[in-house]
Structures are given as structure tokens and as C-alpha cells.
Amino acid sequence: MIYPIYIYGSGVLRKEAEDIPADYPGLKELCEDMFETMYDSDGVGLAAPQIGKSIRLFVIDASPFAEDDEPELKDFRKIFINARIYERSGEEVPFNEGCLSLPGIREDVMRPSKIKIRYMDENFTEHDEEYEGTAARIIQHEYDHLDGKMFVDRLSPLRKTLIKSKLTKLSKGNYKASYRCKLVK
Ligand code: NI
């Protein structure tokens, strides 16, 4: 099932999401639906708050980046449940980010290049892993959604001012996207 994507201005995108238990109803189906929704909108990551669910779950498929210069991302298709990034390190680097909840907006965002993260997979097996490069970038972007944050929060005051009118339009329901969207204040 393909879910509509909640757009900037929706309350759920600003809430801190909650951990889920292993017996969360319909978890496997929800994960599959999130991948389906993400593929339908050509995303490489999707966090549960973006489909209106305030839970600590996000999915990533970074394989499109394998075609560029990171062949190790060829099979990077993962589900992150109850994730906690417990260390960020390395240089702060820029990367041009977009977000399905912010159609039409792309900006260079500075983030640390390396992270360490603990999370559960769909079978509630715990993982403790280290990531860098594009994988670390996408994880940090999706992880922000769980804390009610979006990449536009991380821009310089000048860039924020420059995109302010675009954000206002989005939050008033004035947007164009190739996928189904929803705005719930
Ligand atoms: Ni996003």
C-alpha cells in the first residue's frame, strides 16, 4: 500500500517519535508499505512521521548511489527501528539534500561524515554499526525526522531567510509533487 506523504507544515513532522515494541501490530507489512511508498516517490529514505506515524522507524535504500561512485551501497536496503545515533564524528561536510516532505526544495546541508548507531531490524535483532559517506548522510537525514527535525532547520540563517517564502507556500498547501501528499496541521 502506498501512503500519502505528509508535507512541511504538518504537525506530525515536528513531534518527537516514540519507540515501538517488538509486537507492534502489522510491523512487517508497515515496513514493506514504507519501501513501496518510498520507491513510488523516488526517495532513498523514508521515516514513519512522513506517513503520519509518530514512531521511531525509518527505511533506506541507498542503491541508486551505487551507480555513482559508491559500489558498496549496491545492496544497502535497511530498516531501522528504535534507532539511537550515539556518536557523530569526522569532518562536517556539505551534501545537497532533498526531502519528500519538502517538494521542490534542495539545499546543501552540513553534517558530520561519520556516525555510530544502535538499532533493531525488522526481526528486533539489535545492531551496533558505524557508517560514513552517503550512508551516514541518509541515516542522519532520516533520523532527524524522528526528533521532529528537517534539513531546513540545519541551514545558515541566510539560507533560511532565502527559502522562507517557499516554506510558507508549502505549509499553506501550495506545492507540486509527482506523488500523493497530505497536509495535516
Ligand atoms: Ni526527509
Side-chain angles (χ1 to χ4, degrees):
M1 181 182 117
I2 295 171
Y3 283 91
I5 304 283
Y6 281 63
I7 294 295
Y8 180 91
S10 297
V12 67
L13 293 173
R14 290 310 196 179
K15 271 175 70 179
E16 189 156 338
E18 292 188 357
D19 283 342
I20 55 168
D23 62 353
Y24 186 82
L27 180 59
K28 290 223 161 136
E29 198 183 344
L30 175 60
C31 292
E32 283 316 306
D33 287 347
M34 283 183 63
F35 276 116
E36 199 185 341
T37 302
M38 185 185 81
Y39 294 134
D40 177 66
S41 49
D42 287 326
V44 292
L46 182 70
Q50 294 182 276
I51 58 163
K53 297 183 186 296
S54 194
I55 57 174
R56 296 189 77 85
L57 162 63
F58 59 86
V59 301
I60 290 177
D61 186 340
S63 58
F65 287 97
E67 290 155 22
D68 301 341
D69 50 357
E70 293 180 276
E72 69 277 13
L73 295 177
K74 192 167 73 71
D75 301 312
F76 194 105
R77 184 184 191 272
K78 279 174 186 271
I79 296 165
F80 293 81
I81 297 169
N82 299 347
R84 292 287 184 284
I85 293 178
Y86 65 93
E87 197 181 302
R88 297 176 198 248
S89 63
E91 224 184 311
E92 292 256 334
V93 286
F95 190 97
N96 196 253
E97 295 190 22
C99 178
L100 296 174
S101 296
L102 291 153
I105 298 182
R106 294 199 72 89
E107 289 287 333
D108 284 344
V109 182
M110 300 294 288
R111 296 186 193 268
S113 58
K114 285 184 197 166
I115 57 154
K116 288 184 182 170
I117 186 169
R118 278 190 207 99
Y119 66 96
M120 307 288 186
D121 63 22
E122 65 275 33
N123 301 311
F124 263 75
T125 304
E126 195 177 7
H127 298 266
D128 189 334
E129 294 167 352
E130 199 173 342
Y131 290 100
E132 57 185 324
T134 304
R137 169 65 53 162
I138 303 170
I139 291 170
Q140 289 179 84
H141 175 113
E142 299 312 326
Y143 187 87
D144 267 359
H145 281 298
L146 308 183
D147 291 336
K149 291 191 198 125
M150 275 178 275
F151 78 81
V152 289
D153 305 335
R154 299 192 175 274
L155 302 177
S156 69
L158 174 64
R159 290 306 309 171
K160 271 186 196 159
T161 307
L162 290 172
I163 63 163
K164 197 166 181 236
S165 66
K166 282 190 191 174
L167 292 177
T168 306
K169 277 187 185 169
L170 284 183
S171 64
K172 286 182 175 164
N174 189 353
Y175 50 78
K176 268 196 201 123
S178 60
Y179 42 91
R180 207 149 54 94
C181 299
K182 198 166 176 174
L183 178 66
V184 183
K185 299 257 178 184

